[in-house]
Amino acid sequence: MECEFIPLINDKGGDITLVSNYMAIAISNVETKLLESVMLNKVRVNNDFYKYQYGFKQGHSTGLCTHVVKRTIEYYVDRGSHGFATFIDFTKAFDCVNYWILFNQLLDDGVDFNFVRYLVYWHTNQQARVRWHNTVSSKFPINNRTKQGGVLSPYLFTRHVRILLTSVAECGIGCCVEELSYRLRWWTFPDDLYTVRA
């Protein structure tokens, strides 16, 4: 239940005296990662909306997602349409997850009560230290967040925002990149890839 934060500079050309120019990566030990891998299989519920998670997922990346968004917009703009996009800033997203909402969501999914209880205990008793070069701080409690760099964190975060993903996916507005049964070449997209929903 202990982790160590390593501050990393976001913009090396920026002001290194600003706290906002740093992100903290939590380093977990091997035992924690093994335990989280086992727990993931116990708490993960198959859901179609998990497919919208691009980052931290095998075979996917935020770079791939960005590429698809850019090519989609280019497709419509090249054919005389306007492209409108809405973005949500999830810069501090993992840090803002409310444990109690998340744990209730897991219970709603039918996750075994004992596993949720274990997660409650684990997350509410987390402690951390900060390492800066060769100096280590004293321990302090972590009261709200999923672990940046944790095995469980990407799934837990996606579960936490599933209502938002569901609302956007089911609103029936915008374009849809159809699922294809063949592999796409990196820079080539067939004309019939994109369809517009009324």
Side-chain angles (χ1 to χ4, degrees), residues 56-72:
F56 314 107
K57 187 176 172 186
Q58 188 174 6
H60 292 72
S61 68
T62 50
L64 173 61
C65 183
T66 303
H67 177 73
V68 171
V69 169
K70 287 171 66 176
R71 291 293 290 132
T72 302

Side-chain angles (χ1 to χ4, degrees), residues 8 13 32 39 45 64 84 124 131 143 157 171 176 182 192:
L8 299 177
T32 299
M39 291 293 294
V45 175
L64 173 61
F84 301 94
T124 56
R131 177 179 293 278
N143 299 318
F157 177 72
C171 72
C176 176
Y182 56 91
D192 61 350

Side-chain angles (χ1 to χ4, degrees), residues 127-145:
Q127 291 191 320
R129 295 174 298 190
V130 177
R131 177 179 293 278
W132 182 255
H133 298 290
N134 295 322
T135 305
V136 180
S137 73
S138 56
K139 295 177 187 176
F140 56 90
I142 303 174
N143 299 318
N144 205 48
R145 72 193 306 275

Side-chain angles (χ1 to χ4, degrees), residues 174-194:
C175 62
C176 176
V177 179
E178 297 293 343
E179 292 184 9
L180 302 176
S181 59
Y182 56 91
R183 297 181 65 181
L184 295 173
R185 285 175 291 166
W186 181 244
W187 294 108
T188 306
F189 285 77
D191 287 346
D192 61 350
L193 174 60
Y194 303 95

Side-chain angles (χ1 to χ4, degrees), residues 10-194:
N10 283 324
D11 179 10
K12 292 182 180 177
D15 188 349
I16 62 171
T17 64
L18 292 176
V19 174
S20 59
N21 194 22
Y22 289 83
M23 63 177 171
I25 300 298
I27 305 299
S28 299
N29 56 38
V30 174
E31 292 87 353
T32 299
K33 290 184 179 181
L34 288 171
L35 178 60
E36 287 194 58
S37 297
V38 172
M39 291 293 294
L40 181 61
N41 294 326
K42 301 295 183 183
V43 301
R44 183 164 48 196
V45 175
N46 290 327
N47 187 286
D48 286 344
F49 293 99
Y50 184 60
K51 67 187 176 187
Y52 296 112
Q53 172 73 36
Y54 268 81
F56 314 107
K57 187 176 172 186
Q58 188 174 6
H60 292 72
S61 68
T62 50
L64 173 61
C65 183
T66 303
H67 177 73
V68 171
V69 169
K70 287 171 66 176
R71 291 293 290 132
T72 302
I73 293 171
E74 285 173 12
Y75 178 88
Y76 285 103
V77 170
D78 289 348
R79 286 157 179 76
S81 295
H82 296 284
F84 301 94
T86 301
F87 296 92
I88 299 173
D89 182 4
F90 279 147
T91 305
K92 304 287 184 186
F94 278 25
D95 301 341
C96 299
V97 170
N98 183 303
Y99 290 153
W100 305 109
I101 293 174
L102 174 62
F103 297 142
N104 279 309
Q105 290 171 328
L106 293 176
L107 289 172
D108 290 343
D109 285 349
V111 175
D112 185 276
F113 175 78
N114 289 319
F115 285 109
V116 176
R117 196 167 103 180
Y118 179 81
L119 287 173
V120 168
Y121 181 81
W122 194 20
H123 281 77
T124 56
N125 288 282
Q126 288 183 94
Q127 291 191 320
R129 295 174 298 190
V130 177
R131 177 179 293 278
W132 182 255
H133 298 290
N134 295 322
T135 305
V136 180
S137 73
S138 56
K139 295 177 187 176
F140 56 90
I142 303 174
N143 299 318
N144 205 48
R145 72 193 306 275
T146 56
K147 296 182 198 179
Q148 187 85 23
V151 175
L152 275 173
S153 296
Y155 175 76
L156 294 178
F157 177 72
T158 304
R159 176 58 189 97
H160 192 60
V161 297
R162 188 185 297 166
I163 294 172
L164 174 64
L165 295 175
T166 303
S167 299
V168 171
E170 293 180 347
C171 72
I173 299 172
C175 62
C176 176
V177 179
E178 297 293 343
E179 292 184 9
L180 302 176
S181 59
Y182 56 91
R183 297 181 65 181
L184 295 173
R185 285 175 291 166
W186 181 244
W187 294 108
T188 306
F189 285 77
D191 287 346
D192 61 350
L193 174 60
Y194 303 95

